[in-house]
Amino acid sequence: MAARGLCPGASRAPAAAPLLALCFCLCLCLSLPLPLSPPRPRTEPAAAGWGWRNLTCPACRLLFGALGLALQLEPNVARVGRVAVRVCQELRLARPEICQQAVQLFQQDVVSAWARSVLRPGEACGLLLGRGCGHWDIYADWNVTLPAAPKPPVRPPAPPPPGAPTARLLFLTDLHWDRHYVPGSEPACRDPLCCRGAARTAPGGAGYWGEYSKCDLPLHTIEALLAQLRGAAPPFDAVYWTGDIPAHDVWQQRREDQLLALRTVTRLLRKHLGALPVYPAVGNHEATPVNAFPPPYVRGNQSSAWLYDAMAQAWQDWLPPAALETLRVAGFYTLQVWAGLRLVSLNMNFCSQANFWLLINSTDPAGQLQWLVGVLEAAEQRGEKVHIIGHIPPAHCLRSWSWNYYRIVNRFEGTIAAQFFGHTHVDEFEMFYDEETLTRPVSVAFVAPSVTTYINLNPGYRVYELDGAYPGSSHAVLDHETFILNLTEANAPGAKPRWQRLYRAREAYGMPSAFPVDWDQLIRRFQDDESLFQRFWYLFHKGHPPREPCHEACKAALLCSLRTGRSIDPSLCHVLRPTLPFAQIQELWRQRQLC
Ligand SMILES: [Zn+2]
Ligand SMILES: [Zn+2]
């Protein structure tokens, strides 16, 4: 790709630094967990006024127009950083200390990525401020190559024969350990993350086990979760763990902090889960700066080697050498779980619009999707079934990545037995339909709720029941269960933490099975059966829904999101006949970002 600017010795114009600084601030704020739009009143009372929406679209386009010129000049990173702090403060993007720390953390990588990218103003502002401000998916036309061999005939899923063995899969996602969590501290602060610092003298401080606020979890809550899993009956057969280990204090995270979280939590899992195999996926919070996952062509100190090497070392007892090898290169891998079942762990940061390294080139980063096609093709030939795990669910991905992934799921519907994701922190799913008619359900991506409380949730985890390990098994999901720690109960004086089953999917929703067709039917039933939908809304928030109810627009947007396994596709919701335009639905989706 053509690289711009950053040429040593070029003359500097005073205007260049402020412009770059602003661009950089916008990148940074895309990564900070600040509300993208006015949040639910109960979550953000103290943070009103901060946020990158303080920048308007016309101003953004004007500034990026000038950026093209500014990038021809040599930016001094430290000088750009100083101005960026001022811009961040002037625009009230965050409070001054956070501006200072965040700029320090992001400046080198963001300036590098900007300087190597070829974005036009409309594209950049579309990326930063949303589609209303420009079309930004500049590489919309790329395509993976599917195998020449024709797709095998479709065989609808069928329940396993009576008495066939089942398998139990423990699913953990978004642990978000905050090592600065202090019971009794302020739960409603102005920062992106609270429940830290000195304990309050007045009552109303953060609970011992966690808090319904903008807070992550203390280690003792994660340990209590793992400890009570011992002796689970029936026992688990494997663990899928889809990332986001550190807390949301992204403005102050150093590489040592991220590695400490990785190693501490890995050790804790090994301590409590013993010999149970754990298969991880890389979350967007593992890196620092958050979301910064340079593709493998970025080498040296700016590469992700510091992270992937540490992961390969920490997880070497769980993963075979071939998996560790690709993990070290790009954070994804494949392995055989047991006879007849293959796992693919994707690095979904290569599909993420928040990964600013993709500004340089977002065409199949790290060749991951083409690699996936190869893995699936080989599995199809061997008669294996495949589970796919990843952090960010596919509909949250860059459009082109997402549409290619949808094509792959369609082509390999007979091989992909299940898909599992996390990241949104809530309990939901995304449907995949046949590409020709968009009506026949072919797959479902389960999106499990987080272990963390962030924001306003109970701690929780998921267990999947699978068609078990026997010759000819479908390895499909037969049912799932969700467990929570009710914080109101657990934090009461003298109480002991009691992890309890919140619900069992088939029982709660009255589904005959848990195949894609059942989830598709369920969405239609939600539309007509208000009390069933309200039950879903309650479970969606792990038993702690917001005070504001979800009706009309909220319900339409949520049902549409369940049908939408690929991003930016209004046609997937047509069958629901939504009463509001797709752009408005997307806006509502953006408002409920918690992760
Ligand atoms: Zn998360
Ligand atoms: Zn995440």
Side-chain angles (χ1 to χ4, degrees), residues 35 49 58 98 109 131 177 295 371 449 454 456 460 487 494 523 528 548 559 582 586:
I98 291 183
D109 285 4
R131 291 193 86 211
W177 165 42
W371 169 85
Y454 195 95
N456 261 318
L487 280 181
I523 299 172
D528 300 330
E548 312 77 51
L559 296 188
F582 189 64
Q586 286 180 300

Side-chain angles (χ1 to χ4, degrees), residues 86-326:
R86 281 212 306 277
V87 174
C88 174
Q89 292 171 356
E90 288 295 316
L91 289 176
R92 294 172 59 80
L93 298 175
R95 74 181 165 83
E97 297 82 357
I98 291 183
C99 284
Q100 178 76 45
Q101 287 174 306
V103 165
Q104 189 82 36
L105 193 62
F106 281 70
Q107 60 188 12
Q108 191 68 53
D109 285 4
V110 172
V111 170
S112 294
W114 272 116
R116 291 170 69 171
S117 74
V118 289
L119 288 184
R120 293 189 296 271
E123 293 162 343
C125 293
L127 168 65
L128 296 166
L129 296 180
R131 291 193 86 211
C133 194
H135 178 75
W136 60 271
D137 196 356
I138 53 174
Y139 302 109
D141 292 334
W142 61 272
N143 280 318
V144 289
T145 307
L146 292 177
K151 177 176 170 176
V154 174
R155 290 198 310 195
T166 56
R168 266 162 73 81
L169 194 68
L170 171 63
F171 192 89
L172 301 170
T173 191
D174 298 85
L175 272 63
H176 291 290
W177 165 42
D178 184 6
R179 68 192 167 102
H180 299 295
Y181 187 97
V182 176
S185 61
E186 178 56 58
C189 66
R190 290 166 54 136
D191 296 351
L193 184 65
C194 306
C195 298
R196 17 184 39 220
R200 284 161 55 113
T201 46
Y208 181 77
W209 295 106
E211 188 54 59
Y212 297 126
S213 190
K214 280 185 301 179
C215 302
D216 282 318
L217 290 178
L219 201 62
H220 58 251
T221 304
I222 297 170
E223 178 141 32
L225 185 165
L226 296 170
Q228 58 88 42
L229 292 174
R230 279 187 185 182
F236 298 115
D237 297 286
V239 185
Y240 291 169
W241 174 30
T242 54
D244 270 10
I245 307 168
H248 286 82
D249 56 339
V250 299
W251 66 94
Q252 58 181 189
Q253 291 170 336
R254 299 160 305 164
R255 288 183 176 180
E256 314 76 285
D257 300 317
Q258 308 307 82
L259 297 181
L260 177 73
L262 166 72
R263 290 171 183 144
T264 305
V265 175
T266 298
R267 240 191 332 264
L268 209 59
L269 261 70
R270 194 172 289 112
K271 176 180 160 192
H272 290 283
L273 300 174
L276 199 57
V278 178
Y279 303 121
V282 181
N284 60 309
H285 278 267
E286 266 65 274
T288 185
V290 64
N291 302 314
F293 288 85
Y297 59 77
V298 176
R299 308 233 176 228
N301 190 42
Q302 281 188 314
S303 78
S304 294
W306 66 275
L307 181 62
Y308 298 151
D309 285 349
M311 286 172 169
Q313 198 180 28
W315 300 339
Q316 58 185 332
D317 295 343
W318 292 331
L319 308 181
L324 292 171
E325 203 175 305
T326 55

Side-chain angles (χ1 to χ4, degrees), residues 1 118 136-142 358-363 400:
M1 299 303 298
V118 289
W136 60 271
D137 196 356
I138 53 174
Y139 302 109
D141 292 334
W142 61 272
L358 303 187
L359 295 175
I360 300 171
N361 183 349
S362 63
T363 302
S400 197

